[in-house]
Amino acid sequence: MNTLSYKTVSIRKEDVQKEWVVVDATDQVLGRLCAKVAKILRGKYKPSFTPHVDCGDNVIIINADKVKLTGKKWDDRTYVSYTGYPGGQRYATPAILQKKSENKNISKGGKHPLFLHVIKGMLPKNKLGAKILNNVFIYNGPDHPHEAQQPKLIDINKLK
């Protein structure tokens, strides 16, 4: 029998080659930026993508305070969170979440609530998604403390 044999290679977590990349959010639309960042975090741009393994890169987002939203979404869109207590539903607009990030001093490495909320919705809803969400670092200014990892700057507009 003369058939070709192709094997699907599943990568193990020990064999993953993780890189550090920097993404500039200046004048980028929030949803489109976060969709591409979620694909980088997941590892979908790599030829060795395996769905059940964290094979994505670590992403540093700079200038998060200069992100754009189209239309009236700064005030009309609402995000819902739940505290776990009766009557604990909380509603927030992107403008409120952006102000929270300024109050938390994100430039020193805090978590940016607007970006985390959007990116979390684009990741798997399981333990792997929660683990992948720890690989993103968001800063309001152009500076970040991850120079030792030698991250490479990528143009997010060239990715599909």
Side-chain angles (χ1 to χ4, degrees):
M1 186 168 214
N2 198 5
T3 61
L4 294 174
S5 174
Y6 295 103
K7 288 187 176 181
T8 302
V9 178
S10 289
I11 195 166
R12 299 180 323 195
K13 70 177 182 179
E14 296 88 22
D15 300 332
V16 173
Q17 298 292 325
K18 289 177 117 6
E19 296 177 355
W20 285 78
V21 296
V22 176
V23 175
D24 191 3
T26 305
D27 294 332
Q28 297 288 330
V29 179
L30 178 68
R32 294 174 192 201
L33 171 75
C34 290
K36 292 174 184 177
V37 167
K39 284 178 83 171
I40 294 171
L41 287 169
R42 189 89 199 275
K44 289 203 161 197
Y45 288 113
K46 293 185 174 185
S48 61
F49 170 67
T50 306
H52 63 279
V53 176
D54 177 14
C55 55
D57 296 332
N58 296 310
V59 179
I60 303 164
I61 300 174
I62 57 173
N63 295 321
D65 53 346
K66 296 177 184 160
V67 75
K68 290 191 316 186
L69 282 175
T70 58
K72 298 180 185 177
K73 292 180 191 146
W74 280 112
D75 299 318
D76 290 351
R77 175 169 285 170
T78 58
Y79 293 113
V80 181
S81 61
Y82 182 60
T83 62
Y85 291 96
Q89 268 191 332
R90 304 287 184 251
Y91 300 95
T93 63
I96 292 171
L97 294 176
Q98 190 78 354
K99 282 184 183 176
K100 277 187 184 180
S101 72
E102 292 168 5
N103 294 341
K104 285 185 175 183
N105 200 359
I106 299 302
S107 60
K108 297 205 177 185
K111 293 293 183 181
H112 198 292
L114 178 60
F115 274 83
L116 288 181
H117 196 95
V118 175
I119 293 173
K120 183 178 180 181
M122 298 179 185
L123 293 176
K125 310 318 187 260
N126 53 23
K127 291 179 187 177
L128 179 63
K131 185 179 176 189
I132 290 173
L133 194 60
N134 291 327
N135 294 337
V136 64
F137 303 91
I138 306 154
Y139 301 98
N140 272 342
D143 301 325
H144 60 86
H146 303 283
E147 291 298 330
Q149 282 76 24
Q150 298 164 349
K152 62 179 183 178
L153 182 67
I154 61 169
D155 185 13
I156 201 78
N157 295 325
K158 294 194 176 168
L159 299 176
K160 287 193 173 193

